[in-house]
Amino acid sequence: MISFAISILFKCIYLIILIVVLLSWIPIFDVRKEPIASLIKIYNAIMAPFKAVIPPIGMIDISPLIAFILLQILEQAIIRTLLAFGL
């Protein structure tokens, strides 16, 4: 049951990252209005460690892609550990 909740939490994180990345390609959204402002705050909190280590390549920021990969590895490790203990 706990592993299911962890899985849902990671899916929400993936969705937030995806939404903010897609919205960054569309300049018509006002980032100061809710709920976009809240999504961007959560996104910045999640992405801060990745952006500190991974510099942009030219005009392309690959940190969301690296974040997706590393978060999926982390999710699988946590879920497998929890399932091994029967949680």
Coordinates of all heavy atoms in Angstrom, one line a residue:
M1 N 0.8 -1.2 0.0 CA 0.0 0.0 0.0 C 0.9 1.3 0.0 O 0.6 2.2 -0.7 CB -0.9 0.0 1.2 CG -2.0 1.0 1.2 SD -3.0 0.6 -0.2 CE -4.4 1.6 0.1
I2 N 2.0 1.2 0.8 CA 2.9 2.4 0.8 C 3.5 2.5 -0.5 O 3.7 3.7 -1.0 CB 3.9 2.2 2.0 CG1 3.2 2.3 3.3 CG2 4.9 3.3 1.9 CD1 4.1 2.0 4.5
S3 N 3.9 1.4 -1.2 CA 4.5 1.5 -2.5 C 3.6 2.1 -3.5 O 4.1 2.9 -4.4 CB 5.0 0.1 -2.9 OG 3.9 -0.8 -3.0
F4 N 2.3 1.9 -3.4 CA 1.4 2.5 -4.3 C 1.3 4.0 -4.1 O 1.3 4.8 -5.1 CB 0.0 1.9 -4.1 CG -1.1 2.4 -5.1 CD1 -1.0 2.1 -6.4 CD2 -2.0 3.3 -4.6 CE1 -2.0 2.7 -7.3 CE2 -3.0 3.8 -5.4 CZ -3.0 3.5 -6.8
A5 N 1.4 4.5 -2.9 CA 1.3 5.9 -2.6 C 2.6 6.6 -3.1 O 2.6 7.7 -3.6 CB 1.2 6.1 -1.1
I6 N 3.8 5.9 -2.9 CA 5.0 6.4 -3.4 C 5.0 6.5 -4.9 O 5.4 7.5 -5.5 CB 6.2 5.5 -3.0 CG1 6.3 5.5 -1.5 CG2 7.5 5.9 -3.7 CD1 6.8 6.8 -0.9
S7 N 4.4 5.5 -5.6 CA 4.3 5.6 -7.0 C 3.4 6.7 -7.5 O 3.8 7.4 -8.5 CB 3.7 4.2 -7.5 OG 3.5 4.3 -8.9
I8 N 2.3 7.0 -6.8 CA 1.4 8.1 -7.1 C 2.2 9.4 -6.9 O 2.0 10.3 -7.8 CB 0.1 8.1 -6.3 CG1 -0.7 6.8 -6.6 CG2 -0.7 9.3 -6.5 CD1 -1.2 6.8 -8.1
L9 N 2.9 9.5 -5.9 CA 3.7 10.7 -5.6 C 4.7 11.0 -6.7 O 4.8 12.2 -7.2 CB 4.5 10.6 -4.3 CG 5.4 11.8 -4.0 CD1 4.6 13.1 -3.7 CD2 6.3 11.4 -2.8
F10 N 5.4 10.0 -7.2 CA 6.3 10.2 -8.3 C 5.6 10.5 -9.6 O 6.1 11.3 -10.4 CB 7.2 9.0 -8.4 CG 8.4 9.0 -7.6 CD1 8.4 8.3 -6.3 CD2 9.6 9.6 -8.0 CE1 9.5 8.3 -5.5 CE2 10.7 9.6 -7.1 CZ 10.7 9.0 -5.9
K11 N 4.5 9.9 -9.8 CA 3.7 10.3 -11.0 C 3.3 11.7 -11.0 O 3.3 12.4 -12.1 CB 2.5 9.4 -11.1 CG 2.7 7.9 -11.2 CD 3.4 7.5 -12.5 CE 3.4 6.0 -12.6 NZ 4.8 5.4 -12.4
C12 N 2.9 12.3 -9.9 CA 2.6 13.7 -9.7 C 3.8 14.6 -10.0 O 3.7 15.6 -10.7 CB 2.0 14.0 -8.4 SG 0.4 13.3 -8.0
I13 N 4.9 14.1 -9.5 CA 6.2 14.9 -9.8 C 6.5 14.9 -11.3 O 6.8 16.0 -11.9 CB 7.3 14.3 -9.0 CG1 7.1 14.6 -7.5 CG2 8.7 14.9 -9.5 CD1 8.1 13.9 -6.6
Y14 N 6.4 13.8 -11.9 CA 6.6 13.7 -13.4 C 5.6 14.6 -14.1 O 6.0 15.3 -15.1 CB 6.4 12.3 -13.9 CG 7.3 11.2 -13.3 CD1 6.9 9.9 -13.1 CD2 8.6 11.5 -12.9 CE1 7.7 9.0 -12.6 CE2 9.4 10.6 -12.4 CZ 9.0 9.3 -12.2 OH 9.8 8.3 -11.6
L15 N 4.4 14.6 -13.7 CA 3.4 15.4 -14.4 C 3.6 16.9 -14.2 O 3.5 17.7 -15.2 CB 2.0 15.1 -13.8 CG 0.8 15.7 -14.5 CD1 0.7 15.3 -16.0 CD2 -0.5 15.3 -13.8
I16 N 4.1 17.3 -13.0 CA 4.4 18.7 -12.8 C 5.6 19.1 -13.7 O 5.5 20.2 -14.3 CB 4.7 19.0 -11.3 CG1 3.4 18.9 -10.5 CG2 5.4 20.3 -11.1 CD1 3.6 18.9 -9.0
I17 N 6.6 18.3 -13.8 CA 7.7 18.6 -14.6 C 7.3 18.7 -16.1 O 7.7 19.7 -16.8 CB 8.9 17.6 -14.4 CG1 9.5 17.6 -13.0 CG2 9.9 17.8 -15.5 CD1 10.4 16.5 -12.7
L18 N 6.5 17.8 -16.5 CA 6.1 17.8 -17.9 C 5.2 19.0 -18.2 O 5.4 19.7 -19.3 CB 5.3 16.5 -18.2 CG 4.8 16.4 -19.6 CD1 5.9 16.2 -20.6 CD2 3.9 15.1 -19.7
I19 N 4.3 19.4 -17.3 CA 3.4 20.5 -17.6 C 4.2 21.8 -17.7 O 4.1 22.6 -18.6 CB 2.3 20.6 -16.5 CG1 1.3 19.5 -16.7 CG2 1.7 22.0 -16.5 CD1 0.3 19.4 -15.5
V20 N 5.2 22.0 -16.7 CA 6.0 23.2 -16.7 C 6.9 23.3 -18.0 O 7.0 24.4 -18.6 CB 6.8 23.4 -15.4 CG1 7.7 24.6 -15.5 CG2 5.8 23.5 -14.2
V21 N 7.4 22.2 -18.3 CA 8.3 22.2 -19.5 C 7.5 22.5 -20.8 O 7.9 23.3 -21.6 CB 9.0 20.8 -19.7 CG1 9.6 20.7 -21.1 CG2 10.1 20.7 -18.6
L22 N 6.3 21.9 -20.9 CA 5.4 22.2 -22.0 C 5.0 23.7 -22.0 O 4.9 24.3 -23.1 CB 4.3 21.3 -22.1 CG 4.6 19.8 -22.4 CD1 3.3 18.9 -22.4 CD2 5.2 19.7 -23.8
L23 N 4.6 24.2 -20.9 CA 4.2 25.6 -20.8 C 5.3 26.6 -21.1 O 5.1 27.7 -21.5 CB 3.6 25.9 -19.4 CG 2.2 25.3 -19.1 CD1 1.8 25.6 -17.7 CD2 1.2 25.8 -20.1
S24 N 6.6 26.1 -20.9 CA 7.7 27.0 -21.2 C 7.8 27.3 -22.7 O 8.4 28.2 -23.1 CB 9.0 26.5 -20.6 OG 9.4 25.3 -21.3
W25 N 7.3 26.4 -23.5 CA 7.3 26.5 -24.9 C 6.2 27.4 -25.4 O 6.2 27.9 -26.6 CB 7.2 25.2 -25.6 CG 8.3 24.3 -25.3 CD1 9.5 24.6 -24.8 CD2 8.4 22.9 -25.6 NE1 10.3 23.5 -24.7 CE2 9.6 22.4 -25.2 CE3 7.4 22.0 -26.1 CZ2 10.0 21.0 -25.3 CZ3 7.8 20.6 -26.2 CH2 9.1 20.2 -25.8
I26 N 5.2 27.7 -24.6 CA 4.1 28.6 -25.0 C 4.2 29.9 -24.2 O 3.9 29.9 -23.0 CB 2.7 27.8 -24.7 CG1 2.7 26.5 -25.4 CG2 1.6 28.7 -25.2 CD1 1.6 25.6 -24.9
P27 N 4.5 31.0 -24.9 CA 4.7 32.2 -24.2 C 3.5 33.0 -23.8 O 3.6 34.0 -23.2 CB 5.6 33.0 -25.2 CG 5.2 32.5 -26.5 CD 4.8 31.1 -26.3
I28 N 2.3 32.5 -24.1 CA 1.1 33.2 -23.8 C 0.6 33.1 -22.4 O -0.3 33.8 -22.0 CB -0.1 32.8 -24.8 CG1 -0.4 31.4 -24.7 CG2 0.3 33.2 -26.2 CD1 -1.6 30.9 -25.4
F29 N 1.1 32.2 -21.6 CA 0.7 32.0 -20.2 C 1.4 33.0 -19.3 O 2.6 33.2 -19.4 CB 0.9 30.5 -19.8 CG 0.0 29.6 -20.4 CD1 0.5 28.8 -21.5 CD2 -1.3 29.4 -20.0 CE1 -0.4 27.9 -22.1 CE2 -2.1 28.5 -20.6 CZ -1.7 27.7 -21.6
D30 N 0.6 33.6 -18.4 CA 1.1 34.5 -17.4 C 1.6 33.6 -16.2 O 0.7 33.0 -15.6 CB 0.1 35.5 -17.0 CG 0.7 36.5 -16.0 OD1 1.9 36.5 -15.8 OD2 -0.1 37.4 -15.5
V31 N 2.9 33.6 -16.0 CA 3.4 32.7 -14.9 C 3.1 33.2 -13.5 O 3.4 32.5 -12.6 CB 4.9 32.4 -15.1 CG1 5.2 31.7 -16.4 CG2 5.7 33.7 -15.1
R32 N 2.6 34.4 -13.4 CA 2.3 34.9 -12.1 C 0.9 34.6 -11.6 O 0.6 34.8 -10.4 CB 2.5 36.5 -12.1 CG 3.9 36.9 -12.4 CD 4.0 38.4 -12.6 NE 3.3 38.6 -13.9 CZ 3.2 39.7 -14.5 NH1 3.7 40.8 -14.0 NH2 2.5 39.8 -15.7
K33 N 0.1 34.1 -12.4 CA -1.3 33.7 -12.1 C -1.3 32.2 -11.6 O -0.6 31.4 -12.0 CB -2.2 33.9 -13.2 CG -2.4 35.4 -13.6 CD -3.5 35.5 -14.6 CE -3.7 37.0 -15.0 NZ -4.7 37.2 -16.0
E34 N -2.3 32.0 -10.7 CA -2.5 30.6 -10.2 C -3.3 29.8 -11.3 O -4.0 30.4 -12.0 CB -3.3 30.7 -8.9 CG -2.5 31.3 -7.7 CD -1.2 30.5 -7.4 OE1 -1.2 29.3 -7.6 OE2 -0.3 31.1 -6.9
P35 N -3.1 28.6 -11.4 CA -2.3 27.6 -10.6 C -0.9 27.5 -11.2 O -0.1 26.7 -10.7 CB -3.1 26.3 -10.8 CG -3.7 26.4 -12.1 CD -4.0 27.9 -12.3
I36 N -0.6 28.2 -12.3 CA 0.7 28.1 -12.9 C 1.8 28.5 -12.0 O 2.9 27.9 -11.9 CB 0.7 28.9 -14.3 CG1 -0.3 28.3 -15.2 CG2 2.1 28.9 -14.9 CD1 -0.5 29.1 -16.5
A37 N 1.6 29.6 -11.2 CA 2.6 30.0 -10.3 C 3.0 29.0 -9.3 O 4.2 28.8 -8.9 CB 2.2 31.3 -9.6
S38 N 2.0 28.3 -8.8 CA 2.2 27.2 -7.8 C 3.0 26.0 -8.4 O 3.9 25.5 -7.8 CB 0.9 26.7 -7.2 OG 0.3 27.7 -6.5
L39 N 2.6 25.7 -9.7 CA 3.3 24.6 -10.4 C 4.8 25.0 -10.6 O 5.7 24.1 -10.4 CB 2.7 24.3 -11.7 CG 1.3 23.6 -11.7 CD1 0.8 23.5 -13.1 CD2 1.5 22.3 -11.0
I40 N 5.0 26.2 -10.9 CA 6.4 26.7 -11.2 C 7.2 26.7 -9.9 O 8.4 26.3 -9.9 CB 6.4 28.0 -11.9 CG1 5.9 27.9 -13.3 CG2 7.8 28.7 -11.9 CD1 5.8 29.1 -14.1
K41 N 6.6 27.0 -8.7 CA 7.3 27.0 -7.5 C 7.7 25.5 -7.1 O 8.8 25.2 -6.7 CB 6.5 27.5 -6.4 CG 6.3 29.0 -6.4 CD 5.5 29.5 -5.3 CE 5.2 31.0 -5.4 NZ 4.3 31.5 -4.4
I42 N 6.8 24.6 -7.3 CA 7.1 23.2 -7.0 C 8.1 22.7 -8.0 O 9.1 22.0 -7.6 CB 5.8 22.3 -7.2 CG1 4.8 22.7 -6.1 CG2 6.1 20.9 -7.1 CD1 3.4 22.2 -6.3
Y43 N 8.0 23.1 -9.3 CA 9.0 22.7 -10.3 C 10.4 23.2 -9.9 O 11.3 22.4 -10.0 CB 8.6 23.2 -11.6 CG 9.6 23.1 -12.7 CD1 9.7 21.9 -13.4 CD2 10.4 24.1 -13.1 CE1 10.7 21.7 -14.4 CE2 11.4 24.0 -14.1 CZ 11.5 22.8 -14.8 OH 12.4 22.7 -15.8
N44 N 10.5 24.4 -9.5 CA 11.8 25.0 -9.2 C 12.4 24.3 -8.0 O 13.6 24.1 -7.9 CB 11.7 26.5 -8.9 CG 11.5 27.3 -10.2 OD1 11.9 26.8 -11.3 ND2 10.9 28.4 -10.1
A45 N 11.5 23.9 -7.0 CA 12.0 23.2 -5.8 C 12.6 21.8 -6.2 O 13.6 21.3 -5.7 CB 10.9 23.0 -4.8
I46 N 11.9 21.1 -7.1 CA 12.3 19.8 -7.6 C 13.6 19.9 -8.5 O 14.5 19.1 -8.3 CB 11.2 19.1 -8.4 CG1 10.0 18.8 -7.5 CG2 11.7 17.8 -9.1 CD1 8.7 18.4 -8.3
M47 N 13.6 20.9 -9.3 CA 14.7 21.0 -10.3 C 15.9 21.7 -9.8 O 17.0 21.6 -10.5 CB 14.2 21.7 -11.6 CG 13.1 20.9 -12.3 SD 13.6 19.3 -12.8 CE 14.8 19.6 -13.9
A48 N 15.9 22.3 -8.7 CA 17.1 23.1 -8.2 C 18.3 22.2 -8.1 O 19.4 22.7 -8.6 CB 16.7 23.8 -6.9
P49 N 18.3 21.0 -7.5 CA 19.5 20.2 -7.5 C 20.0 19.8 -8.9 O 21.2 19.8 -9.1 CB 19.1 19.0 -6.7 CG 17.8 19.3 -6.0 CD 17.2 20.4 -6.8
F50 N 19.1 19.6 -9.8 CA 19.5 19.1 -11.1 C 20.1 20.3 -11.9 O 21.1 20.1 -12.6 CB 18.3 18.6 -11.9 CG 17.8 17.3 -11.2 CD1 16.6 17.3 -10.5 CD2 18.4 16.1 -11.4 CE1 16.1 16.2 -9.9 CE2 17.9 14.9 -10.8 CZ 16.8 15.0 -10.1
K51 N 19.5 21.5 -11.8 CA 20.0 22.6 -12.5 C 21.3 23.1 -12.0 O 22.1 23.8 -12.7 CB 18.9 23.8 -12.5 CG 17.7 23.4 -13.3 CD 16.8 24.6 -13.4 CE 15.6 24.3 -14.2 NZ 15.6 24.8 -15.5
A52 N 21.6 22.9 -10.7 CA 22.9 23.3 -10.1 C 24.0 22.4 -10.6 O 25.1 22.9 -10.7 CB 22.8 23.1 -8.6
V53 N 23.7 21.2 -11.0 CA 24.8 20.3 -11.5 C 24.9 20.2 -13.0 O 25.9 20.1 -13.6 CB 24.5 18.8 -10.9 CG1 25.5 17.9 -11.5 CG2 24.5 18.9 -9.4
I54 N 23.7 20.3 -13.7 CA 23.7 20.2 -15.1 C 23.5 21.5 -15.8 O 22.4 22.1 -15.8 CB 22.5 19.2 -15.5 CG1 22.6 17.9 -14.8 CG2 22.5 19.0 -17.0 CD1 21.4 17.1 -14.8
P55 N 24.5 22.0 -16.5 CA 24.4 23.3 -17.1 C 23.6 23.2 -18.5 O 23.6 22.1 -19.1 CB 25.8 23.7 -17.4 CG 26.6 22.5 -17.5 CD 25.9 21.5 -16.6
P56 N 23.0 24.2 -18.9 CA 22.3 24.2 -20.2 C 23.3 24.0 -21.3 O 24.4 24.4 -21.2 CB 21.6 25.5 -20.4 CG 21.7 26.2 -19.0 CD 22.7 25.5 -18.3
I57 N 22.9 23.3 -22.4 CA 23.7 23.1 -23.5 C 23.2 24.1 -24.6 O 22.2 23.9 -25.2 CB 23.7 21.7 -24.1 CG1 24.2 20.7 -23.0 CG2 24.5 21.5 -25.3 CD1 24.0 19.2 -23.3
G58 N 23.9 25.2 -24.7 CA 23.5 26.2 -25.6 C 22.2 26.8 -25.1 O 22.1 27.3 -24.0
M59 N 21.2 26.7 -25.9 CA 19.8 27.2 -25.5 C 18.9 26.1 -25.0 O 17.8 26.4 -24.6 CB 19.1 27.9 -26.7 CG 19.9 29.1 -27.2 SD 19.7 30.5 -26.1 CE 18.0 30.9 -26.2
I60 N 19.5 24.9 -24.9 CA 18.6 23.8 -24.5 C 19.0 23.3 -23.0 O 20.2 23.1 -22.7 CB 18.9 22.6 -25.4 CG1 18.5 23.0 -26.8 CG2 18.1 21.4 -25.0 CD1 18.8 22.0 -27.9
D61 N 18.0 23.3 -22.2 CA 18.1 22.8 -20.8 C 17.7 21.3 -20.8 O 16.6 21.0 -20.9 CB 17.3 23.6 -19.9 CG 17.5 23.3 -18.5 OD1 18.4 22.6 -18.1 OD2 16.6 23.7 -17.6
I62 N 18.7 20.5 -20.6 CA 18.4 19.0 -20.5 C 18.2 18.5 -19.1 O 18.0 17.3 -18.9 CB 19.6 18.2 -21.2 CG1 20.9 18.4 -20.4 CG2 19.7 18.6 -22.6 CD1 21.9 17.4 -20.8
S63 N 18.2 19.4 -18.1 CA 18.0 19.0 -16.7 C 16.7 18.3 -16.5 O 16.6 17.3 -15.7 CB 18.2 20.1 -15.8 OG 17.4 21.2 -16.0
P64 N 15.5 18.7 -17.1 CA 14.3 17.9 -16.9 C 14.4 16.5 -17.4 O 13.9 15.6 -16.8 CB 13.3 18.7 -17.7 CG 13.8 20.1 -17.8 CD 15.3 20.0 -17.9
L65 N 15.1 16.3 -18.5 CA 15.3 14.9 -19.1 C 16.1 14.1 -18.1 O 15.7 12.9 -17.8 CB 15.9 15.0 -20.4 CG 16.2 13.7 -21.1 CD1 14.9 12.9 -21.4 CD2 17.0 13.9 -22.4
I66 N 17.2 14.6 -17.6 CA 18.0 13.9 -16.6 C 17.2 13.7 -15.3 O 17.3 12.6 -14.7 CB 19.3 14.7 -16.3 CG1 20.1 14.9 -17.6 CG2 20.1 14.0 -15.3 CD1 20.5 13.7 -18.3
A67 N 16.4 14.7 -14.9 CA 15.6 14.5 -13.7 C 14.6 13.4 -13.9 O 14.4 12.6 -13.0 CB 14.8 15.8 -13.4
F68 N 13.9 13.3 -15.1 CA 13.0 12.2 -15.3 C 13.7 10.8 -15.2 O 13.2 9.9 -14.5 CB 12.4 12.3 -16.8 CG 11.1 12.9 -16.9 CD1 11.0 14.1 -17.5 CD2 10.0 12.4 -16.3 CE1 9.8 14.8 -17.6 CE2 8.8 13.0 -16.4 CZ 8.7 14.2 -17.1
I69 N 14.9 10.7 -15.8 CA 15.6 9.4 -15.7 C 16.0 9.1 -14.3 O 15.8 8.0 -13.8 CB 16.8 9.5 -16.7 CG1 16.4 9.6 -18.1 CG2 17.7 8.3 -16.5 CD1 17.4 9.9 -19.1
L70 N 16.6 10.0 -13.6 CA 17.1 9.7 -12.2 C 15.9 9.5 -11.3 O 16.0 8.7 -10.4 CB 18.0 10.9 -11.7 CG 19.3 11.0 -12.5 CD1 20.1 12.2 -11.9 CD2 20.1 9.7 -12.4
L71 N 14.8 10.3 -11.4 CA 13.7 10.1 -10.6 C 13.0 8.7 -10.8 O 12.5 8.1 -9.9 CB 12.7 11.2 -10.7 CG 13.1 12.5 -10.1 CD1 12.1 13.6 -10.6 CD2 13.1 12.5 -8.6
Q72 N 13.0 8.2 -12.0 CA 12.5 6.9 -12.3 C 13.3 5.8 -11.7 O 12.8 4.9 -11.1 CB 12.3 6.7 -13.8 CG 11.2 7.5 -14.4 CD 11.0 7.2 -15.9 OE1 11.9 6.7 -16.5 NE2 9.9 7.7 -16.4
I73 N 14.6 6.0 -11.7 CA 15.5 5.0 -11.1 C 15.3 5.0 -9.6 O 15.2 4.0 -9.0 CB 17.0 5.3 -11.4 CG1 17.3 5.1 -12.9 CG2 18.0 4.5 -10.6 CD1 18.6 5.6 -13.4
L74 N 15.2 6.2 -9.0 CA 14.9 6.3 -7.6 C 13.6 5.7 -7.2 O 13.5 5.0 -6.2 CB 15.0 7.8 -7.1 CG 14.7 8.1 -5.7 CD1 15.8 7.5 -4.8 CD2 14.6 9.6 -5.5
E75 N 12.6 6.0 -8.0 CA 11.2 5.4 -7.7 C 11.3 3.9 -7.7 O 10.8 3.3 -6.8 CB 10.2 5.9 -8.8 CG 8.9 5.3 -8.6 CD 7.9 5.6 -9.8 OE1 8.4 6.2 -10.8 OE2 6.7 5.3 -9.7
Q76 N 11.9 3.3 -8.8 CA 12.0 1.9 -8.8 C 12.8 1.3 -7.7 O 12.4 0.2 -7.1 CB 12.6 1.5 -10.2 CG 11.8 1.7 -11.4 CD 10.4 1.0 -11.3 OE1 10.4 -0.1 -11.0 NE2 9.4 1.8 -11.6
A77 N 13.8 1.9 -7.2 CA 14.6 1.4 -6.1 C 13.8 1.5 -4.8 O 13.8 0.5 -4.0 CB 15.9 2.3 -5.9
I78 N 13.1 2.6 -4.6 CA 12.2 2.7 -3.4 C 11.1 1.7 -3.4 O 10.9 1.0 -2.4 CB 11.7 4.1 -3.3 CG1 12.8 5.1 -3.0 CG2 10.6 4.2 -2.2 CD1 12.4 6.6 -3.0
I79 N 10.4 1.5 -4.6 CA 9.3 0.6 -4.6 C 9.8 -0.8 -4.5 O 9.1 -1.6 -3.8 CB 8.5 0.8 -5.9 CG1 7.8 2.1 -5.9 CG2 7.6 -0.3 -6.2 CD1 7.0 2.5 -7.1
R80 N 10.9 -1.2 -5.1 CA 11.4 -2.6 -5.0 C 11.8 -2.9 -3.5 O 11.6 -4.0 -3.0 CB 12.6 -2.8 -5.9 CG 12.1 -3.0 -7.3 CD 13.3 -3.3 -8.2 NE 12.8 -3.3 -9.6 CZ 13.6 -3.4 -10.6 NH1 14.9 -3.4 -10.5 NH2 13.1 -3.4 -11.8
T81 N 12.4 -1.9 -2.8 CA 12.7 -2.1 -1.4 C 11.5 -2.2 -0.6 O 11.4 -3.1 0.3 CB 13.6 -0.9 -0.9 OG1 14.7 -0.7 -1.8 CG2 14.0 -1.1 0.5
L82 N 10.5 -1.4 -0.8 CA 9.3 -1.5 0.0 C 8.6 -2.8 -0.3 O 8.0 -3.5 0.7 CB 8.3 -0.3 -0.3 CG 8.8 1.0 0.2 CD1 7.9 2.1 -0.3 CD2 8.8 1.0 1.7
L83 N 8.5 -3.3 -1.5 CA 7.9 -4.5 -1.9 C 8.6 -5.7 -1.3 O 8.0 -6.7 -0.9 CB 7.7 -4.7 -3.4 CG 6.7 -3.8 -4.0 CD1 6.7 -3.9 -5.5 CD2 5.3 -4.0 -3.5
A84 N 10.0 -5.6 -1.2 CA 10.7 -6.7 -0.5 C 10.4 -6.9 0.9 O 10.4 -8.0 1.5 CB 12.2 -6.4 -0.7
F85 N 10.0 -5.8 1.6 CA 9.6 -5.8 3.0 C 8.1 -6.0 3.1 O 7.6 -6.0 4.2 CB 10.0 -4.5 3.7 CG 11.5 -4.4 3.9 CD1 12.2 -3.5 3.2 CD2 12.1 -5.3 4.8 CE1 13.6 -3.4 3.5 CE2 13.5 -5.2 5.1 CZ 14.2 -4.3 4.4
G86 N 7.4 -6.2 2.0 CA 6.0 -6.4 2.1 C 5.1 -5.2 2.3 O 4.0 -5.3 2.7
L87 N 5.7 -4.1 2.0 CA 4.9 -2.8 2.2 C 4.4 -2.4 0.9 O 3.9 -1.4 0.6 CB 5.8 -1.7 2.9 CG 6.4 -2.1 4.2 CD1 7.4 -1.1 4.7 CD2 5.2 -2.2 5.2

